[in-house]
Amino acid sequence: MEYSNLIYSEENGIGLLTINRPQALNALNRQTMQELHTFFLQDAPRKAGLKGLIITGAGEKAFVAGADIKEFLQLDAAAGRDMARFGHEVFNAIEQFPKPIIAAVNGFALGGGCELAMACHLRIAGEKARFGQPEVKLGITPGYGGTQRLIQYLGKGKAMELLLTADMIGAEEALQLGLVNQLVPAGEEVKEARALLEKIAQNGPIAIAKIIELVNAYFRYNDDGFEREIRAFGETTGTQDFKEGATAFIEKRKPAFKGR
Ligand code: CO8
């Protein structure tokens, strides 16, 4: 299929998928999510000879700076919940994909971008990478699995802190906390991801697929948390606080939340 916001290339069985909206720091708008859905649920599973995939962001500044806040303003509670559910389908397909997927994080990985990186099997961060779940600043909760996967990587205490404060962490701290697997010089993320995939691809492909399935199985005992997140995202999207939070971002000012 033809994509407008994704660029795909393949070399020696390793696919490189680039989210390509650099003017919006690669924010995941509706069209991009639709294309990711088509890619991961239809196109990628049919690619013969594929050994693994790399996901990265176009430009030097961002991996993905989140869901597209400018499209948010039209969302009501039901539409918010439906979008969150659609995103969960995409990110679950990434997490369950039987070939290894590495996020090559070249810059901001915020909100939906951090959630996308966490859905991948491994993460290689460049020195400029920054991670965070800043949704509470907009008056909403994460909606693409962030509340659940952040706990899986960081543990409850640090996940709670980052989710409540909306603070960002740099690549060095992300490495120390186990959120990323490798820290590399800026600009080398894709090259190092490719080298790691080449190494993994020396191993048995059936065993690799089983490892992915089994490691994921360990964390799938609590699917209820994911379902609750989808509902919470819908509920918070229906608040006046959220309209204020998203409008304040667009108008480049601080939001004045009223708790309604
Ligand atoms: N959505 C839309 N546009 C964005 C986004 C975004 N998430 N992030 C950046 N942009 C745009 C900016 O508006 C700006 O556009 P313009 O030039 O037209 O003003 C352009 O990208 C460049 O950004 P900045 O000028 O802001 O660049 P800075 O270097 O000053 O700041 C930051 C970089 C810190 C990354 C800043 O852009 C920022 O804070 N971005 C928003 C980060 C954020 O809050 N992300 C979370 C979004 S919510 C989310 O992801 C929820 C996921 C679940 C969704 C579930 C269903 C919908």
Side-chain angles (χ1 to χ4, degrees), residues 29 91 115 117 124 132 143 151 191 194 207 226:
N29 64 352
F91 287 19
E115 292 170 307
I124 291 188
I151 301 167
K191 188 179 116 206
R194 197 180 291 283
F226 286 90

PDB file of all heavy atoms in Angstrom, residues 29 91 115 117 124 132 143 151 191 194 207 226:
ATOM      1  N   ASN A  29      -0.986  11.503  14.022  1.00  0.00           N
ATOM      2  CA  ASN A  29      -2.358  11.927  13.727  1.00  0.00           C
ATOM      3  C   ASN A  29      -3.160  10.700  13.262  1.00  0.00           C
ATOM      4  O   ASN A  29      -2.632   9.586  13.160  1.00  0.00           O
ATOM      5  CB  ASN A  29      -2.371  13.073  12.709  1.00  0.00           C
ATOM      6  CG  ASN A  29      -1.807  12.659  11.363  1.00  0.00           C
ATOM      7  OD1 ASN A  29      -1.276  11.558  11.220  1.00  0.00           O
ATOM      8  ND2 ASN A  29      -1.908  13.530  10.386  1.00  0.00           N
ATOM      9  N   PHE A  91      -0.626  -1.103  18.697  1.00  0.00           N
ATOM     10  CA  PHE A  91       0.557  -1.297  19.541  1.00  0.00           C
ATOM     11  C   PHE A  91       0.652  -2.741  20.036  1.00  0.00           C
ATOM     12  O   PHE A  91       1.750  -3.264  20.214  1.00  0.00           O
ATOM     13  CB  PHE A  91       0.561  -0.287  20.698  1.00  0.00           C
ATOM     14  CG  PHE A  91       0.890   1.131  20.250  1.00  0.00           C
ATOM     15  CD1 PHE A  91       0.776   1.517  18.927  1.00  0.00           C
ATOM     16  CD2 PHE A  91       1.330   2.078  21.156  1.00  0.00           C
ATOM     17  CE1 PHE A  91       1.081   2.803  18.512  1.00  0.00           C
ATOM     18  CE2 PHE A  91       1.653   3.378  20.756  1.00  0.00           C
ATOM     19  CZ  PHE A  91       1.521   3.740  19.420  1.00  0.00           C
ATOM     20  N   GLU A 115       4.997   5.526  24.161  1.00  0.00           N
ATOM     21  CA  GLU A 115       4.191   4.293  24.140  1.00  0.00           C
ATOM     22  C   GLU A 115       4.550   3.423  22.928  1.00  0.00           C
ATOM     23  O   GLU A 115       4.610   2.198  23.033  1.00  0.00           O
ATOM     24  CB  GLU A 115       2.698   4.660  24.127  1.00  0.00           C
ATOM     25  CG  GLU A 115       2.275   5.287  25.454  1.00  0.00           C
ATOM     26  CD  GLU A 115       0.888   5.897  25.438  1.00  0.00           C
ATOM     27  OE1 GLU A 115       0.612   6.732  24.542  1.00  0.00           O
ATOM     28  OE2 GLU A 115       0.069   5.549  26.300  1.00  0.00           O
ATOM     29  N   ALA A 117       7.523   3.391  21.428  1.00  0.00           N
ATOM     30  CA  ALA A 117       8.848   2.816  21.705  1.00  0.00           C
ATOM     31  C   ALA A 117       8.724   1.641  22.675  1.00  0.00           C
ATOM     32  O   ALA A 117       9.400   0.619  22.521  1.00  0.00           O
ATOM     33  CB  ALA A 117       9.774   3.895  22.274  1.00  0.00           C
ATOM     34  N   ILE A 124      16.830   1.373  21.143  1.00  0.00           N
ATOM     35  CA  ILE A 124      18.173   1.946  21.086  1.00  0.00           C
ATOM     36  C   ILE A 124      17.995   3.460  21.046  1.00  0.00           C
ATOM     37  O   ILE A 124      17.271   3.982  20.191  1.00  0.00           O
ATOM     38  CB  ILE A 124      18.934   1.429  19.857  1.00  0.00           C
ATOM     39  CG1 ILE A 124      19.231  -0.071  20.070  1.00  0.00           C
ATOM     40  CG2 ILE A 124      20.218   2.238  19.630  1.00  0.00           C
ATOM     41  CD1 ILE A 124      20.130  -0.695  19.070  1.00  0.00           C
ATOM     42  N   GLY A 132       9.012  10.487  27.976  1.00  0.00           N
ATOM     43  CA  GLY A 132       8.083  10.971  28.992  1.00  0.00           C
ATOM     44  C   GLY A 132       6.641  10.714  28.603  1.00  0.00           C
ATOM     45  O   GLY A 132       6.329  10.427  27.440  1.00  0.00           O
ATOM     46  N   GLY A 143      -3.121   6.944  26.549  1.00  0.00           N
ATOM     47  CA  GLY A 143      -4.188   6.141  25.947  1.00  0.00           C
ATOM     48  C   GLY A 143      -3.704   5.057  25.019  1.00  0.00           C
ATOM     49  O   GLY A 143      -4.496   4.373  24.383  1.00  0.00           O
ATOM     50  N   ILE A 151       5.060   0.813  33.786  1.00  0.00           N
ATOM     51  CA  ILE A 151       5.261   0.032  35.024  1.00  0.00           C
ATOM     52  C   ILE A 151       6.090  -1.220  34.720  1.00  0.00           C
ATOM     53  O   ILE A 151       6.976  -1.597  35.488  1.00  0.00           O
ATOM     54  CB  ILE A 151       3.910  -0.396  35.646  1.00  0.00           C
ATOM     55  CG1 ILE A 151       3.050   0.821  35.963  1.00  0.00           C
ATOM     56  CG2 ILE A 151       4.135  -1.240  36.903  1.00  0.00           C
ATOM     57  CD1 ILE A 151       1.609   0.477  36.290  1.00  0.00           C
ATOM     58  N   LYS A 191      21.743   2.632  12.566  1.00  0.00           N
ATOM     59  CA  LYS A 191      22.887   1.755  12.254  1.00  0.00           C
ATOM     60  C   LYS A 191      23.067   0.691  13.344  1.00  0.00           C
ATOM     61  O   LYS A 191      23.229  -0.495  13.070  1.00  0.00           O
ATOM     62  CB  LYS A 191      24.160   2.617  12.150  1.00  0.00           C
ATOM     63  CG  LYS A 191      25.356   1.864  11.648  1.00  0.00           C
ATOM     64  CD  LYS A 191      26.575   2.766  11.551  1.00  0.00           C
ATOM     65  CE  LYS A 191      27.610   2.245  12.517  1.00  0.00           C
ATOM     66  NZ  LYS A 191      28.560   3.187  13.022  1.00  0.00           N
ATOM     67  N   ARG A 194      20.275  -1.842  13.336  1.00  0.00           N
ATOM     68  CA  ARG A 194      20.483  -2.805  12.243  1.00  0.00           C
ATOM     69  C   ARG A 194      21.504  -3.871  12.669  1.00  0.00           C
ATOM     70  O   ARG A 194      21.292  -5.075  12.464  1.00  0.00           O
ATOM     71  CB  ARG A 194      20.985  -2.038  11.005  1.00  0.00           C
ATOM     72  CG  ARG A 194      20.858  -2.787   9.710  1.00  0.00           C
ATOM     73  CD  ARG A 194      21.373  -1.937   8.556  1.00  0.00           C
ATOM     74  NE  ARG A 194      20.533  -0.793   8.249  1.00  0.00           N
ATOM     75  CZ  ARG A 194      19.391  -0.863   7.577  1.00  0.00           C
ATOM     76  NH1 ARG A 194      18.969  -2.028   7.129  1.00  0.00           N
ATOM     77  NH2 ARG A 194      18.679   0.214   7.339  1.00  0.00           N
ATOM     78  N   ALA A 207      12.420 -20.082  17.261  1.00  0.00           N
ATOM     79  CA  ALA A 207      12.716 -19.813  18.674  1.00  0.00           C
ATOM     80  C   ALA A 207      12.573 -18.325  18.987  1.00  0.00           C
ATOM     81  O   ALA A 207      12.049 -17.951  20.046  1.00  0.00           O
ATOM     82  CB  ALA A 207      14.131 -20.298  19.004  1.00  0.00           C
ATOM     83  N   PHE A 226      -5.063  -2.528  30.787  1.00  0.00           N
ATOM     84  CA  PHE A 226      -5.115  -1.923  29.451  1.00  0.00           C
ATOM     85  C   PHE A 226      -6.545  -1.475  29.130  1.00  0.00           C
ATOM     86  O   PHE A 226      -6.769  -0.399  28.586  1.00  0.00           O
ATOM     87  CB  PHE A 226      -4.612  -2.912  28.398  1.00  0.00           C
ATOM     88  CG  PHE A 226      -3.113  -3.099  28.419  1.00  0.00           C
ATOM     89  CD1 PHE A 226      -2.521  -4.071  29.208  1.00  0.00           C
ATOM     90  CD2 PHE A 226      -2.287  -2.285  27.655  1.00  0.00           C
ATOM     91  CE1 PHE A 226      -1.145  -4.237  29.240  1.00  0.00           C
ATOM     92  CE2 PHE A 226      -0.897  -2.436  27.668  1.00  0.00           C
ATOM     93  CZ  PHE A 226      -0.329  -3.414  28.464  1.00  0.00           C
TER      94      PHE A 226
END
